[in-house]
């Protein structure tokens, strides 16, 4: 049985930093960076390790009409968002695909 090792967290936190700065599909912009400030990396690591939110790994989908109450963290996969995330959304090593009607209520 082979265990799959998750991708390294710190080298790909630029995506998470971009998502922390954007709260709607209209405000979305592409960021390219090779390094992020240490304090931002520390915030993302703390967010992903916080037990109060929902954490998913791999390709994920929140369909239209569905709502996540609280924070959502995704590691290593794209998120197709058609519904609502009431808290903060962070995606590490993945993309967010905003469907019509998608909404993020936090950061």
């Amino acid at each position: 049985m082979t265990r799959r090792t998750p991708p390294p967290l710190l080298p790909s936190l630029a995506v998470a930093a971009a998502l922390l700065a954007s709260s709607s599909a209209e405000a979305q912009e592409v960021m390219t960076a090779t390094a992020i400030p240490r304090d931002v990396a520390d915030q993302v690591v703390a967010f992903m390790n916080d037990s109060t939110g929902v954490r998913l790994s791999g390709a994920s989908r929140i369909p239209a009409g569905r709502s996540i109450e609280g924070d959502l963290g995704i590691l290593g996969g794209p998120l197709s968002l058609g519904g609502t995330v009431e808290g903060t959304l962070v995606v590490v090593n993945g993309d967010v695909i905003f469907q019509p009607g998608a909404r993020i209520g936090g950061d």
Side-chain angles (χ1 to χ4, degrees):
M1 181 172 179
T2 304
R3 287 188 82 173
R4 183 174 175 219
T5 304
L9 185 61
L10 290 179
S12 62
L13 291 176
V15 173
L19 290 174
L20 285 172
S22 174
S23 63
S24 72
E26 293 78 26
Q28 187 178 13
E29 64 183 68
V30 176
M31 289 182 57
T32 303
T34 57
I36 61 171
R38 183 66 188 180
D39 62 323
V40 174
D42 290 343
Q43 288 176 358
V44 173
V45 170
F47 178 89
M48 294 301 285
N49 288 320
D50 187 349
S51 64
T52 61
V54 175
R55 302 296 176 262
L56 302 172
S57 180
S60 304
R61 180 174 168 262
I62 310 296
R66 181 77 128 173
S67 181
I68 301 293
E69 304 292 327
D71 297 334
L72 175 62
I74 309 286
L75 177 63
L79 169 66
S80 177
L81 182 62
T84 301
V85 175
E86 294 296 341
T88 298
L89 171 64
V90 174
V91 177
V92 178
N93 279 352
D95 298 312
V96 178
I97 302 157
F98 290 94
Q99 305 295 331
R103 191 175 80 75
I104 301 171
D107 294 328

